[in-house]
Amino acid sequence: MRLPDGNGLDIVRRIAQDWPHLPVAVITAFGSAENAVAALKAGAFDYLSKPVSLEQLRAR
């Protein structure tokens, strides 16, 4: 969600706009219900809070 040069939601929106069939999962250390809803509305198919296990990633 927090990047040195911007916001992760901006990237999700851009990908959804330019490559609508490319699946995007947001993985963040700054997880919250509000951020999860915003990410899904922006076009992400899933939202995970760190730490994320390999099993969680494989399931997605």
Side-chain angles (χ1 to χ4, degrees):
M1 298 302 290
R2 298 178 191 169
L3 302 171
D5 59 349
N7 181 316
L9 290 178
D10 294 335
I11 294 173
V12 174
R13 287 185 195 102
R14 178 69 186 264
I15 293 170
Q17 175 185 341
D18 293 348
W19 300 282
H21 299 294
L22 183 67
V24 175
V26 173
I27 302 172
T28 183
F30 305 102
S32 71
E34 181 179 301
N35 286 343
V37 170
L40 296 173
K41 285 184 177 180
F45 79 91
D46 206 347
Y47 181 93
L48 301 165
S49 293
K50 290 180 181 178
V52 178
S53 71
L54 188 54
E55 287 182 20
Q56 287 176 304
L57 289 177
R58 285 184 177 151
R60 265 75 183 176

